[in-house]
């Protein structure tokens, strides 16, 4: 049973509504809202303006409904437990409904748009009965962008509206840009849980039938049945990656699953770096890293998504389309990620599927070395470290983590204490290096530099990682996750590789960022991590920057350029030289075992894999003595 907690008094004073509300005038938007209202039959329609008063009313409603618990220990912050079945992205229910199947490619689920629309229209019919339909105008990236990237999400979930307000730029300013003629993406969401007259609601309405559907040619998103962030906050994965990757292909830019960070060297040189790691493989942590090496400083610009366009100088400039952090909670603590901890201490956050302390704060595994003596777990059950209640009886929660492994904090990025001042610069920041990385126990060394652009594209295209709790399904299974975009490519994977490879043919290709491949997760024989990770990853970043500046030597291996002996700064590092060596090692036998998997992968994608990547694979085989 769900523990009911005593109400916490709300410290926020009443906030006035804006004086003159902005009204939608865009005919297409008005028609669409009318059409969806007729289809879904909500009790009420509310246009979201983004004001503080509106947020207050929404969160009050969520507390009232039992969806949110107001935290006593953090200002304007809430604990939220989802339905236990709705905790992660559902990749097997995610579709790219391009007109032609070949455009979705081998890595995406596909259905003909008309067929999918028929199925989902039936699902949406009456799906908002007893609920409120919210119209959420939003902008991905700065409002001041040359072409603001607008969208409108229609949703029947107050949780989604509250979370969208943290994660994106929401409200009147976006609506004004739409009124002024800006193009916008249609994003429709319903939790799929209509209420009969008088029927009581549940804290987390959702539906066992789920569809997360992108119609790339129409720049349209339809999502049904889930309230989970990655499935329901449609500005994030659905728009900024799946739809935006198609726009980017058409317009010659890149929409990628990448953090953006700024590195300042002891000499005060500034470099911007992006890094693509699969979900729950270290982006948020690297984006906010506290360097352990003296004199180096990191500032944050983004922790999940980068949109990169070419500047007139031929360099790639990255913008973070988001406005908030949707971070994995477990493992986030004062030793691993103090900057994330400071960001959430500032309040204004929603915590989903974490544990609740008895004094009205949140907790999760890895926040503190020892858990509190008593908690409410993410399923709303009593939880203790011993698994026993006060009478010594075994609890139902015994032996289970108090927070779900994919529990999340949702926090304004402006609360990150090391946010770079230029984080919302409309043209973005020029990128010096791209890191690809995954979670691999074996084979992949701590760091390797690509010999050139094409080799770097090969590294990205063959990126592999163990699956995590960020998506439903088995955890710990090695799969290919190209550029960490497997769940997010809005079109054929081979065409996506070609889009990347073609950048290497630009006349100013020497201006492209340099590419590196990292792995913080290699294991020793005893199962422990060989590399301490977190702040110590600054040592790898230093080698990367020193390579760009021509200050560090590399040694050529069959798989790429690795730090020459003594070139990785391990001064003061609390790790044996043998472990560092093992983290950096290239084991030819492991690589020989990897090659058939890469062959299989390219076969699976099919004949759209560009010739240049087949040539890279042949080169790798011959360097390993296999051809
Ligand atoms: P994201 O989903 O890619 O943003 O990944 P996060 O930064 O949220 O990290 C996901 C999980 O990996 C968390 O539990 C982190 O504590 C853990 N993690 C992040 N960086 C490292 C690292 O360098 N080493 C190790 N061992 N774990 C890490
Ligand atoms: P993550 O973002 O990459 O920080 O885990 C959410 C997701 O990819 O589902
Ligand atoms: Mn992500
Ligand atoms: Mn993250």
């Amino acid at each position: 049973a769900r523990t009911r907690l005593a109400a916490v008094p709300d410290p926020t004073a009443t906030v006035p509504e804006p004086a003159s509300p902005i009204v939608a005038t865009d005919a297409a938007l008005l028609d669409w809202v009318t059409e969806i209202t007729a289809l879904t039959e909500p009790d009420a329609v509310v246009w979201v303006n983004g004001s503080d008063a509106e947020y207050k009313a929404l969160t009050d409603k969520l507390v009232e409904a039992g969806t949110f618990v107001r935290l006593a220990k953090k200002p304007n912050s809430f604990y939220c437990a989802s339905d236990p079945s709705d905790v992660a992205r559902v990749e097997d229910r995610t579709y790219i409904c391009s007109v032609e199947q070949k455009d979705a490619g081998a890595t995406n689920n596909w259905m003909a748009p008309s067929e999918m629309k028929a199925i989902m229209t039936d699902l949406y019919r009456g799906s908002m009965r007893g609920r409120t339909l919210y119209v959420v105008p939003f902008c991905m990236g700065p409002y001041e962008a040359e072409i603001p990237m607008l969208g409108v999400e229609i949703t029947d979930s107050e949780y989604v509206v509250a979370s969208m307000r943290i994660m994106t730029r929401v409200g009147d300013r976006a609506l004004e840009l739409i009124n002024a003629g800006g193009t916008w993406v249609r994003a429709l969401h319903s939790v799929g849980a209509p209420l009969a007259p008088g029927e009581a609601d549940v804290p987390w309405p959702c539906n066992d039938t789920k569809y997360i559907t992108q119609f790339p040619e129409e720049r349209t998103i339809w999502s049904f049945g889930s309230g989970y962030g990655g499935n329901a906050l449609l500005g994030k994965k659905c728009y900024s990656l799946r739809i935006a990757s198609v726009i980017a292909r058409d317009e010659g830019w890149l929409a990628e699953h990448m953090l953006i960070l700024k590195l300042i060297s002891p000499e005060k040189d500034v470099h911007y770096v992006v890094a693509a790691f699969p979900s729950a493989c270290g982006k948020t942590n690297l984006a906010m890293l506290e360097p352990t090496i003296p004199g180096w400083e990191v500032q944050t610009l983004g922790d999940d998504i980068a949109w990169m366009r070419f500047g007139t100088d031929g360099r790639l400039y990255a913008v973070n389309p988001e406005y908030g952090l949707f971070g994995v909670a477990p493992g986030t603590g004062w030793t691993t990620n103090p900057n994330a901890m400071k960001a959430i201490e500032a309040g204004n956050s929603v915590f989903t599927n974490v544990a609740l302390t008895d004094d009205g704060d949140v907790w999760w595994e890895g926040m503190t070395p020892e858990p509190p003596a008593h908690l409410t777990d993410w399923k709303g059950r009593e939880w203790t470290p011993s698994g026993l209640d006060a009478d010594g009886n075994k609890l139902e929660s015994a032996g289970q983590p108090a927070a779900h492994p994919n529990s999340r904090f949702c926090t304004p990025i402006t609360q990150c204490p090391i946010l770079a001042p230029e984080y919302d610069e409309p043209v973005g920041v020029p990128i010096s290096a791209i890191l690809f990385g995954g979670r691999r126990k074996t084979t992949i060394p701590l760091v390797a530099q690509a010999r050139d652009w094409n080799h770097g594209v090969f590294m990205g295209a063959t990126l592999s990682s163990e699956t995590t709790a960020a998506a439903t399904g088995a955890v710990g299974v090695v799969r290919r996750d190209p550029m960490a975009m497997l769940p997010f490519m809005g079109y054929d994977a081979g065409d996506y590789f070609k889009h990347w490879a073609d950048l290497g043919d630009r006349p100013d290709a020497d201006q492209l960022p340099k590419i590196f491949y990292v792995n913080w997760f290699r294991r020793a024989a005893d199962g422990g991590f060989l590399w301490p990770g977190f702040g110590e990853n600054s040592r790898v970043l230093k080698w990367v920057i020193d390579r760009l500046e021509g200050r560090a030597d590399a040694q050529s291996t069959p798989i790429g350029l690795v730090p020459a002996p003594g070139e990785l700064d391990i001064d003061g590092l609390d790790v044996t030289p043998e472990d560092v060596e093992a983290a950096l090692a290239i084991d030819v036998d492991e690589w020989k075992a990897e090659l058939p998997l890469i062959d299989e992968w390219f076969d699976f994608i099919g004949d759209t894999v560009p010739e240049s990547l087949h040539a890279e694979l042949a080169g790798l085989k011959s360097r390993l003595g296999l051809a």
Side-chain angles (χ1 to χ4, degrees), residues 283-284 303-304 326-328 408:
K283 290 181 302 300
T284 299
D303 81 322
D304 198 46
F326 185 66
V328 176
R408 298 273 170 166

Side-chain angles (χ1 to χ4, degrees), residues 2-5 58-71 77-83 86 131 134 156-163 191 195 200-206 227-228 349-354 356 377-378 380:
R2 210 168 243 274
T3 318
R4 266 289 179 164
L5 287 116
L58 260 175
T59 51
D60 282 351
K61 191 170 177 187
L62 283 157
V63 170
E64 178 82 5
T67 310
F68 275 8
V69 174
R70 185 180 284 280
L71 298 178
S77 295
F78 305 90
Y79 160 92
C80 175
S82 81
D83 187 282
D86 197 21
R131 301 192 181 280
Y134 295 90
D156 55 5
S157 161
E158 283 86 15
Y159 171 88
V160 166
V161 179
S163 304
V191 292
L195 294 166
D201 204 356
V202 293
W204 186 275
C206 61
Y228 171 75
S349 300
V350 176
F351 300 90
T352 306
N353 292 336
V354 302
L356 185 63
D377 79 356
W378 72 276

Side-chain angles (χ1 to χ4, degrees), residues 277-286 303-304 327-328 330-332 336 408 439 520-521 529 531-534 537:
F277 311 152
S279 303
C281 292
K283 290 181 302 300
T284 299
N285 276 270
L286 192 70
D303 81 322
D304 198 46
V328 176
T332 308
T336 56
R408 298 273 170 166
R439 189 183 275 272
W520 316 140
F521 299 95
F529 292 112
W531 178 253
F534 301 103
N537 294 334

Side-chain angles (χ1 to χ4, degrees), residues 197-222:
E199 186 185 343
D201 204 356
V202 293
W204 186 275
C206 61
N207 193 307
D208 288 342
T209 300
K210 294 177 173 51
Y211 284 98
I212 318 300
T213 302
Q214 285 67 209
F215 301 96
E217 287 92 351
E218 295 173 51
R219 316 286 199 237
T220 291
I221 302 154
W222 282 12

Side-chain angles (χ1 to χ4, degrees), residues 7 47 52 141 147 232 251 285 313 324 386 403 409 481 532 563 575 579 617:
W47 291 73
D52 290 344
I147 302 169
E251 297 179 358
N285 276 270
D313 58 359
S386 65
F409 58 85
D481 192 341
V575 175
D579 276 359
L617 178 55

